[in-house]
Amino acid sequence: SKRRILVCGGGNGAHCLSTLAASQKKSEVHVLTLFQDEAERWTKLLEDSDVKLTVTDLDGSQREIFAKPNLVTKDSEIAMSGVQIIFLVVPAFAHEQYFKAIEPHLQQNTLIVGLPGQAGFEFQCRSILGDKANTCTIASLESLPWACRILEFGKHAQILGAKDSLGISYIKGKSCTLPFPIVESIQDIIGTKPKIEEIQNYIAINLMAKSMVHPPILYGKWRDWDEKPLQEEPLFYQGIDERQADLLSQVSDELIATGKRLEQVKEGIDMSQVMHIYDWYKTYYKDQITDKSCLMKAMKTNSAYDGLVHPMIKTEDGYVPNFNYRYTTEDIPFGLVVMKGIAEIAGLDTPVMDEIILWAQKKLDKEYIPNHACKTNRLTEGKTIFRMERVISPINCIEHPKLLLS
Ligand code: NAD
């Protein structure tokens, strides 16, 4: 029998996932995009053609897939009819809107997948779905399975090389019985690469979210910037210096320490899968990195990062940094702030993350940590999605997903 999938979003990842899934005979694919007139535009483009998906494999070979979703709509009721698996494939700031749109139409025993989840996904999803969260399963992947982009909206997208493996965690609702296996079904939809690996605790996924990477690199690069425009766009990863690598490494240390602390606070949870960012690079990009001797060199020599530059704005005098790019707009509120919130619950100070959040929030004109905080920084009450959720689920939410079943 066919399985019906809903892809939420209309961007790079949504194009790729919906086309991949639609190319499989056993899948029926709906797309829900709430953004502007995307649904209308895309529907029109699909009238007389398929979407072309160009897949570039790691060995450089290319293949093309032609397929199209059964339906692209802005109407959440139509989109949700008969759906068994829902993928959210949008930047984290758009998650809330989709959770609210799907909630009234959510059937029991649905699988909701954050692709990627980003830090805080489960907290936000559970708080918006309320009791319904207990009747479904919420899964979260660490990242998008591939680097990908739209070449022509609604018509042509490209997958530029899959990662080797990708972590997933899930929270199965108390009264949810899925009629299909979770990991195998998602693997089946995205293809053989990357290999999806189960991570036992969703807090571990939150602490490993890759949104931790960008802010320390930005902070290290721009905290002492003299405001003079640059003549070239600096390389983001491959231009990293020792100071930046050090900041990143220290943030990673704080996250590992948070995991360790949680193991002490809550008996029986295993956070050993929270790994250091340096180890993560060595594992996940093992074929792309040529010098693995330290974190800085690993990043500088990672061919997956060839040519990627800092987000910059072009002015008449040259380039200036764009501090309102998703490396901050997304990776601070749905990244470091959530991680800091978990550390706070665990009772751990995180001076390096705090320093970075304090710098970034000024650029974003937000206040996640009070600007005039003294020695121990605490998150500002009511300012973050994490705070909202904390009201209903402090430490008891931090549980082995399998324990939630009993
Ligand atoms: P994208 O930038 O293509 O997403 C744009 C889409 O998001 C739009 O088409 C629209 O559907 C929606 N959107 C944008 N602004 C919105 C708004 N104000 N309100 C509501 N919806 C809005 O995203 P993507 O490249 O598909 O990435 C999805 C996620 O995966 C992001 O979190 C990204 O950081 C992450 N990621 C992307 C890549 C990649 O190669 N593209 C790689 C790794 C991780």
Side-chain angles (χ1 to χ4, degrees):
S1 68
K2 292 219 171 202
R3 65 176 163 220
R4 191 172 286 177
I5 294 161
L6 175 64
V7 176
C8 295
N12 304 308
H15 272 66
C16 295
L17 183 70
S18 62
T19 311
L20 268 185
S23 73
Q24 302 164 341
K25 285 206 178 70
K26 64 179 144 192
S27 300
E28 248 178 56
V29 182
H30 289 181
V31 172
L32 173 67
T33 169
L34 303 169
F35 187 57
Q36 295 174 350
D37 61 346
E38 269 182 358
E40 219 175 298
R41 279 164 55 218
W42 198 354
T43 301
K44 199 139 191 49
L45 290 165
L46 290 178
E47 271 169 16
D48 43 30
S49 78
D50 283 345
V51 180
K52 174 160 128 186
L53 180 63
T54 306
V55 184
T56 306
D57 289 311
L58 271 182
D59 61 8
S61 64
Q62 280 197 348
R63 56 202 159 93
E64 276 169 357
I65 295 168
F66 292 88
K68 65 175 160 188
N70 301 69
L71 174 76
V72 181
T73 179
K74 186 175 193 144
D75 182 325
S76 49
E77 185 175 357
I78 295 172
M80 284 289 286
S81 98
V83 160
Q84 294 164 296
I85 308 180
I86 302 168
F87 289 95
L88 274 82
V89 197
V90 280
F93 62 77
H95 286 162
E96 182 180 1
Q97 195 186 0
Y98 283 97
F99 290 140
K100 287 184 171 155
I102 63 176
E103 187 274 330
H105 317 291
L106 193 65
Q107 299 295 314
Q108 285 189 7
N109 305 326
T110 305
L111 172 62
I112 301 172
V113 187
L115 190 76
Q118 306 285 40
F121 184 82
E122 300 86 351
F123 299 110
Q124 196 179 34
C125 184
R126 285 186 71 91
S127 68
I128 293 173
L129 298 188
D131 288 344
K132 284 190 181 172
N134 292 327
T135 70
C136 54
T137 294
I138 304 165
S140 190
L141 284 115
E142 289 182 285
S143 182
L144 258 189
W146 345 266
C148 63
R149 61 186 175 188
I150 294 173
L151 295 176
E152 193 184 347
F153 178 84
K155 292 198 128 185
H156 189 192
Q158 183 179 29
I159 288 182
L160 290 152
K163 299 183 173 72
D164 222 49
S165 62
L166 195 62
I168 188 173
S169 69
Y170 55 86
I171 308 176
K172 210 163 182 173
K174 279 193 221 91
S175 54
C176 175
T177 28
L178 292 178
F180 50 84
I182 298 171
V183 176
E184 288 82 350
S185 303
I186 299 173
Q187 187 79 65
D188 202 35
I189 293 164
I190 66 165
T192 49
K193 274 264 172 132
K195 173 101 176 53
I196 298 177
E197 314 257 1
E198 206 171 311
I199 288 173
Q200 292 303 322
N201 190 299
Y202 75 94
I203 294 294
I205 283 252
N206 274 270
L207 295 177
M208 284 197 294
K210 289 304 150 305
S211 43
M212 62 155 299
V213 174
H214 302 126
I217 296 180
L218 281 176
Y219 175 60
K221 174 83 184 166
W222 302 108
R223 65 175 159 183
D224 299 325
W225 179 50
D226 59 8
E227 311 264 321
K228 291 204 184 97
L230 277 67
Q231 290 321 300
E232 272 172 28
E233 296 164 293
L235 288 170
F236 191 82
Y237 303 96
Q238 294 178 336
I240 190 174
D241 64 15
E242 255 167 55
R243 227 168 51 148
Q244 289 167 293
D246 221 41
L247 281 163
L248 176 56
S249 190
Q250 288 175 51
V251 168
S252 192
D253 289 339
E254 290 181 346
L255 294 170
I256 291 171
T258 303
K260 293 231 163 75
R261 179 64 70 92
L262 284 171
E263 283 178 344
Q264 293 163 1
V265 175
K266 185 93 186 166
E267 208 178 311
I269 66 166
D270 176 9
M271 305 292 278
S272 60
Q273 280 165 309
V274 181
M275 61 163 109
H276 195 274
I277 190 71
Y278 177 35
D279 297 319
W280 183 82
Y281 272 113
K282 287 191 285 191
T283 313
Y284 280 67
Y285 289 106
K286 67 173 170 2
D287 300 326
Q288 283 106 309
I289 294 175
T290 47
D291 182 348
K292 299 191 178 75
S293 61
C294 65
L295 175 61
M296 183 184 75
K297 295 243 171 78
M299 295 185 83
K300 275 180 171 303
T301 65
N302 183 350
S303 65
Y305 288 152
D306 277 352
L308 295 179
V309 292
H310 275 264
M312 305 296 279
I313 299 164
K314 199 172 180 191
T315 69
E316 278 182 6
D317 307 315
Y319 296 98
V320 296
N322 179 0
F323 295 124
N324 276 290
Y325 187 65
R326 66 182 181 214
Y327 291 179
T328 44
T329 54
E330 196 173 350
D331 293 347
I332 296 296
F334 302 98
L336 284 199
V337 170
V338 178
M339 296 170 191
K340 154 97 185 140
I342 296 171
E344 223 179 275
I345 292 177
L348 192 87
D349 288 341
T350 52
V352 183
M353 280 201 269
D354 296 355
E355 193 180 323
I356 297 169
I357 295 171
L358 281 163
W359 173 82
Q361 69 183 18
K362 285 208 187 85
K363 307 289 175 203
L364 293 170
D365 200 18
K366 292 265 160 50
E367 193 181 80
Y368 300 110
I369 296 173
N371 275 316
H372 303 291
C374 47
K375 218 169 131 237
T376 22
N377 297 311
R378 316 282 292 172
L379 292 171
T380 314
E381 284 295 335
K383 279 281 162 89
T384 66
I385 52 139
F386 191 76
R387 282 283 137 165
M388 252 165 50
E389 178 61 21
R390 223 180 131 175
V391 179
I392 45 173
S393 61
I395 209 90
N396 55 11
C397 200
I398 299 169
E399 209 133 50
H400 190 298
K402 286 190 179 132
L403 291 181
L404 288 173
L405 275 174
S406 54

